């Protein structure tokens, strides 16, 4: 009897710890150093028009904020912090709005250093970005090391130096581009439950240079819920178009027969 009561107690504790239900999200944020009353804006972008729409606004209270709502499928959104007087407006913090508890820690001094965590796809997004930075480091290093030389060459109109630097940049850009594309493909193949994967496949299916059979294989391996997102449905439509027989082919006129 004691064991049953203990198990029931554990079940109650676990249930009470779950702050969100099916198709719900909870954003718990910290904004250390941001004064009370500053506005936090949850935004989305219309995929067709590109227009930014505010979905919800809350106020910072004692360095914290909270946003709760409904969500039917994962999708990229942004958090915008109201600008502080005398400073440039803060940038936007991108994250994946999905079912679950999402934690956002805003860095008031460098919005790019803000941290998002808590749900699978957001944790994966952070790790994925770090891996891509490693792949693209060679290109970033080339830009940093040669920026001063390029500026000087442009001022003196030294075309020989400009052309040499541009050639070097193009070669590294091509190399890094191929490595990045390979990284994208490898990630999608090995992460069938990540929202990032279906976005990668959407990019692949719209890339004329991509292997369509490989793209279809990766898509088919994704979790069913990802296939039913807007991105997943777009991939299905594109694959159907690509795999359909050519439309408009007609038989030769009867008069041509000999």
């Amino acid at each position: 009897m004691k064991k049953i009561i203990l198990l029931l107690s554990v079940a109650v504790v676990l249930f009470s710890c779950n702050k969100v239900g099916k198709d719900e999200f909870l954003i718990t944020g910290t904004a250390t150093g941001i004064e009370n009353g500053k506005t936090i804006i949850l935004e989305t972008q219309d995929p067709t028009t590109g227009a930014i729409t505010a979905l919800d606004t809350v106020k910072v209270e004692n360095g914290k904020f909270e946003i709760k709502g409904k969500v039917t499928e994962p999708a990229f959104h942004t958090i915008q912090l109201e600008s502080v007087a005398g400073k440039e407006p803060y940038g936007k913090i991108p994250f994946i709005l999905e079912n679950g508890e999402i934690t956002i820690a805003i860095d008031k001094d460098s919005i790019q250093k803000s941290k998002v965590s808590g749900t699978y796809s957001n944790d994966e997004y952070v790790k994925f970005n770090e891996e891509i930075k490693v792949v693209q480091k060679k290109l970033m290093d080339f830009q940093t090391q040669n920026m001063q030389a390029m500026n000087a060459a442009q001022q003196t109109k030294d075309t020989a130096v400009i052309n040499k630097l541009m050639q070097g940049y193009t070669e590294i850009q091509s190399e890094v581009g191929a490595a990045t594309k390979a990284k994208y493909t490898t990630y999608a193949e090995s992460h069938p439950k990540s929202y990032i994967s279906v976005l990668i496949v959407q990019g692949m299916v719209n890339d004329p240079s991509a292997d369509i059979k490989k793209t279809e294989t990766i898509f088919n391996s994704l979790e069913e819920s990802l296939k039913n997102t807007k991105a997943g449905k777009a991939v299905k439509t594109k694959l159907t178009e690509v795999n359909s027989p050519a439309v408009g082919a007609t038989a030769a006129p009867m008069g041509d027969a000999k």
Side-chain angles (χ1 to χ4, degrees), residues 90-153:
Y90 284 93
K92 300 177 188 292
I93 303 170
F95 72 103
I96 299 168
L97 189 69
E98 61 180 346
N99 175 234
E101 298 178 37
I102 303 165
T103 301
I104 299 179
I106 296 178
D107 188 316
K108 69 180 181 67
D109 297 318
S110 175
I111 206 73
Q112 287 78 20
K113 292 181 180 179
S114 298
K115 299 184 183 301
V116 180
S117 61
T119 59
Y120 174 72
S121 289
N122 278 298
D123 290 342
E124 281 299 315
Y125 178 51
V126 171
K127 288 190 288 185
F128 179 74
N129 275 335
E130 290 304 313
E131 291 172 2
I132 291 300
K133 284 180 184 176
V134 172
V135 174
Q136 297 181 341
K137 185 177 184 301
K138 187 174 182 179
L139 186 62
M140 298 300 103
D141 287 347
F142 182 89
Q143 288 179 304
T144 302
Q145 293 164 5
N146 294 284
M147 187 179 298
Q148 190 173 351
M150 175 61 84
N151 289 337

Side-chain angles (χ1 to χ4, degrees), residues 22-37:
K22 185 178 182 295
D23 295 335
E24 288 184 339
F25 71 88
L26 173 64
I27 300 173
T28 303
T30 57
T32 307
I34 301 297
E35 62 188 88
N36 286 343

Side-chain angles (χ1 to χ4, degrees), residues 204-205 207-218 239:
M204 292 172 67
V205 80
D207 180 0
S209 68
D211 184 333
I212 195 64
K213 289 299 180 185
K214 187 168 188 176
T215 300
E216 189 169 17
T217 298
I218 296 174
L239 287 173

Side-chain angles (χ1 to χ4, degrees), residues 4 26 142 158 169 172 251:
I4 293 174
L26 173 64
F142 182 89
D158 189 335
Y169 179 82
I172 295 175

Side-chain angles (χ1 to χ4, degrees), residues 10 16 19 34 41 54 77 80 84 100 108 120 157 159 223 253:
V10 171
S16 63
K19 298 178 182 178
I34 301 297
I41 309 167
H77 286 63
Q80 173 82 52
V84 177
K108 69 180 181 67
Y120 174 72
K157 297 182 180 181
T159 55
E223 195 172 72

Side-chain angles (χ1 to χ4, degrees), residues 157-227:
K157 297 182 180 181
D158 189 335
T159 55
V161 172
I162 292 173
N163 290 338
K164 183 179 179 180
L165 290 173
M166 287 301 297
Q167 182 182 353
Y169 179 82
T170 301
E171 289 173 357
I172 295 175
Q173 186 180 44
S174 178
E175 177 188 333
V176 169
T180 301
K181 186 180 289 189
K183 182 65 180 177
Y184 279 20
T185 303
T186 301
Y187 180 89
E189 286 177 315
S190 57
H191 293 78
K193 296 181 179 181
S194 174
Y195 179 63
I196 304 297
S197 295
V198 73
L199 296 182
I200 289 173
V201 175
Q202 186 179 20
M204 292 172 67
V205 80
N206 290 306
D207 180 0
S209 68
D211 184 333
I212 195 64
K213 289 299 180 185
K214 187 168 188 176
T215 300
E216 189 169 17
T217 298
I218 296 174
F219 179 72
N220 290 336
S221 72
L222 297 181
E223 195 172 72
E224 204 61 35
S225 62
L226 293 177
K227 296 178 187 177

